[in-house]
Amino acid sequence: MKKKLGAMLLIIALVLSLIVPAYAADGTVYNGIDVSTHNGTIDWTAVKNAGYDFAMIRDGYGGDPGYWDEQKDAQFEANYSGAVTNGLKVGVYHYCDATNVTMASQEADECLYILNGRHLDYPVAYDIEDSKQYGLSSDTLGEMVQAFCSKIQQAGYKTVVYSYKNFYNTHLTSPLVSQYDTWIAQYCDTAPDFSNYTMWQHSNDGSVPGISGRVDLDYSYVDYAGQGRITPPPSNLDPTTFQCDTSSYTFGSNSIYTYKITTADTFPPTASSSNNSAVTVSGARPTSGGFLFTLTNVGAGDAVITTTAGDGRSVSFTATGSAAAASLRCDTSAYTFSSNSTYYYKITTSSSTAPTATSSNNSAVTVSYAGQLSDGYLYRINNVGSGSAEITTTAANGASVSFTAVGAAQTLRCDTSAYAFGSNSTYCYKITTSASSAPTATSSNNSAVTVSYAGKVSGGYLYRINNAGKGSAVITTSSNGTSVSFTAVGTGSVLRCDTSSYKFGSNSTYYYKIWASASTAPQAVSSNSSVVKVSYSKKLSDGYLYCIRKAGRGSATITTKAGGASVSFQAYS
């Protein structure tokens, strides 16, 4: 049964290859998934047996020096090991939290630290989609992509840039981005209206054996296997070398400092501090010619930082910490929402524990912790409704800082004002909203056009309308008393076939697809079953799959019918 399922998935992939980008060399489509700690513990044997070819695994997010172990994906080790052991081709993706080139470069260092020289068959993807990057210029984003991807490629890995279509089209327009392969996210049933992509994340609502809950599903139109890590040349360092680039260090207003150990060793050294109440040390992170370690200023005082190789060689220096700041500094004094639904503010502090943040009016503005930075913490406020709220951030020692945030009345924005179906049977529209749960969507005339929820996307939610019959319907999407509507016009039963004619070669079977909005499978007949037989195979998300089989020599007309509509093609054997 598992072998049949795998074969069927392969057949479907071959059919879908008819809509892949023009540069897909041989039309082959590779089925994959992308996963992170959010997918829990995965049964990779079941995933492989279900017919999947590759997996893109999250390695981590951000790149703040000193916090790389905390930012590593909690399931990365288990996912990498499980996928490789079961024969899947593996790539990784690193979530971008950066807002400048320096941070992007640090994210590349963190990614390489987590990979620690592991072999990859598929690329390292730079996942750029965070709302904090909306206000950055295309030039800045291009330089960030260049900083990350060039460093990853210098380490011997293939790279690809991931985002959803709208973010690419509006923000990632720099030629520094287009020089790298593209992994595009767009959740519709037909191929994205986007050029030059090598991978497509076509669903965030998949069901995969061995994984609980919804899973992201992907197609790859390039066989990346074999284009993974390049073995680096052997080090030309003296094997006895063990040197530190720092002889002493005194903190000023900064809280982080990085030092390097130059060595030919491949086994990471260990580092310790004699006074963790003044200065702590973390690492090691592999880098060219050695390893990097990070010092963190905790409080006033001296600490001897000692780094030791596996065979006992060691180097030491003194680091002097400055008095930890008791106060908190906020980068925002007041904020008023407009059309946006989220805003990030930063708290600068030397505290090793994240302060707590509260809102005085959660019906207007809510606040949540967003992540740790090199010199503080990031928080997110969300526009929930009209009104003002006092946002207060409080440290463990009682110090606090506040500002007023003003929420705007929650609105829904739809990217579609009207829609008329042509030969297609489905269409996706987006609702932009800050609502934490999906709005409801209804159709005034389900016999003409139906509507269904399609998934969560950045900035809102995606919905799918289906051409069910002739007539018009008002599609209304509602949330918390607010609604937005547009008129959709159905054209009735429409059949489209992906094959205009077919001639058998050495093969004896061939699969064709019918796009149809019919709720039951159309009927397929052969004009000459002694030459070519036809049979129903499977329901697809936007149509049906049929199989024709060579039975003799000659030709036959294959006709598929539904609701008075029909489509035909000639098959030859």
Side-chain angles (χ1 to χ4, degrees), residues 35-55:
V35 296
S36 70
T37 187
H38 301 297
N39 298 104
T41 301
I42 296 175
D43 180 351
W44 286 100
T45 301
V47 174
K48 178 63 176 178
N49 289 341
Y52 289 90
D53 304 305
F54 70 93

Side-chain angles (χ1 to χ4, degrees), residues 508-520:
S508 60
T509 61
Y510 171 79
Y511 286 81
Y512 71 93
K513 178 181 177 180
I514 293 292
W515 281 273
S517 58
S519 59
T520 58

Side-chain angles (χ1 to χ4, degrees), residues 39 97 151 230 241 360 446 478 511 517 544:
N39 298 104
D97 199 50
K151 186 171 286 190
I230 302 168
T241 299
S360 65
N446 285 313
S478 306
Y511 286 81
S517 58
Y544 300 86

Side-chain angles (χ1 to χ4, degrees), residues 510-567:
Y510 171 79
Y511 286 81
Y512 71 93
K513 178 181 177 180
I514 293 292
W515 281 273
S517 58
S519 59
T520 58
Q523 180 186 11
V525 295
S526 170
S527 66
N528 190 351
S529 295
S530 63
V531 174
V532 181
K533 297 180 183 295
V534 62
S535 61
Y536 169 71
S537 177
K538 186 178 179 66
K539 177 76 171 72
L540 302 177
S541 60
D542 58 346
Y544 300 86
L545 198 66
Y546 295 82
C547 177
I548 57 173
R549 292 179 172 82
K550 180 167 62 176
R553 296 187 62 84
S555 66
T557 301
I558 307 299
T559 302
T560 311
K561 305 176 181 179
S566 66
V567 63

Side-chain angles (χ1 to χ4, degrees), residues 333-401:
S333 57
Y335 188 78
T336 300
F337 283 98
S338 55
S339 60
N340 60 313
S341 60
T342 62
Y343 172 76
Y344 289 83
Y345 70 92
K346 177 183 175 182
I347 293 294
T348 301
T349 176
S350 59
S351 172
S352 59
T353 303
T356 58
T358 59
S359 167
S360 65
N361 184 4
N362 284 314
S363 64
V365 181
T366 60
V367 61
S368 59
Y369 174 71
Q372 191 167 25
L373 303 175
S374 60
D375 57 349
Y377 301 89
L378 199 66
Y379 296 83
R380 178 190 296 111
I381 56 174
N382 297 279
N383 182 193
V384 178
S386 60
S388 62
E390 194 76 8
I391 305 300
T392 302
T393 311
T394 307
N397 63 5
S400 67
V401 63

Side-chain angles (χ1 to χ4, degrees), residues 2 14 72 83 100 108 149 156 158 211 224 246 258 265 320 375-376 406 428 456 480 484:
K2 291 179 178 178
L14 290 171
K72 177 181 177 180
N100 58 53
C149 291
K158 180 70 176 175
I211 305 179
Y224 282 106
T246 303
T258 300
D265 295 359
T320 302
D375 57 349
V406 180
C428 290
K456 180 78 172 71
N480 296 329
V484 63

Side-chain angles (χ1 to χ4, degrees), residues 185-254:
Q186 188 177 0
Y187 307 137
C188 278
D189 295 326
T190 56
D193 49 344
F194 188 91
S195 61
N196 299 326
Y197 58 96
T198 57
M199 297 172 66
W200 172 25
Q201 185 186 80
H202 60 91
S203 175
N204 66 344
D205 194 36
S207 178
V208 175
I211 305 179
S212 300
R214 302 295 90 190
V215 188
D216 293 342
L217 303 179
D218 304 277
Y219 295 131
S220 176
Y221 304 104
V222 172
D223 182 9
Y224 282 106
Q227 299 183 34
R229 181 168 173 76
I230 302 168
T231 302
S235 173
N236 58 4
L237 290 173
D238 185 322
T240 63
T241 299
F242 196 77
Q243 298 173 342
C244 182
D245 67 352
T246 303
S247 56
S248 65
Y249 186 77
T250 299
F251 281 96
S253 59
N254 60 312

